Amino acid sequence: RRGCVFEENPREGTPLIQVKAHLPVSESFGFVAALRQATSGQAFPQCVFDHWENLPGDPLQDGSKMQELILNVRKRKNIKACSDAGSI
């Protein structure tokens, strides 16, 4: 995923570590289940909105990350995906 860890704090007297990271909303769908599966249920995520950030790139460029995200949102919302890149 395109997350970015910016802080790790060990909890004194426990084997626990608090990790703070920024995760794009589009990457957060299914994140909790994936994290719990990867840690055998030992991780307890808490997601809180922090800030907006522009995504670099051109949504009209075939194969770009921005176009991929747009097409995935359209699919998730059951909106017809256009075959013409100019009509995204």
Side-chain angles (χ1 to χ4, degrees), residues 10-28:
R11 296 287 181 163
E12 265 187 54
T14 70
L16 301 177
I17 298 175
Q18 179 185 34
V19 178
K20 293 184 180 183
H22 291 135
L23 178 68
V25 171
S26 63
E27 303 284 334
S28 68

Side-chain angles (χ1 to χ4, degrees), residues 2 5 8 11 15 19 21 25-26 28-29 34 37-38 45-46 48 52 55 60 65 72 74 78 82:
R2 295 181 305 122
V5 174
E8 293 183 33
R11 296 287 181 163
V19 178
V25 171
S26 63
S28 68
F29 297 101
Q37 182 180 18
Q46 180 181 7
V48 177
W52 292 102
L55 180 65
L60 302 179
K65 184 65 177 177
N72 286 340
R74 284 179 176 233
N78 203 21
C82 300

Side-chain angles (χ1 to χ4, degrees), residues 17-68:
I17 298 175
Q18 179 185 34
V19 178
K20 293 184 180 183
H22 291 135
L23 178 68
V25 171
S26 63
E27 303 284 334
S28 68
F29 297 101
F31 173 71
V32 172
L35 181 64
R36 304 231 352 132
Q37 182 180 18
T39 62
S40 301
Q42 294 183 13
F44 300 95
Q46 180 181 7
C47 298
V48 177
F49 179 79
D50 185 72
H51 67 279
W52 292 102
E53 189 172 313
N54 287 331
L55 180 65
D58 182 3
L60 302 179
Q61 180 183 353
D62 286 335
S64 70
K65 184 65 177 177
M66 187 179 286
Q67 185 183 55
E68 178 187 334

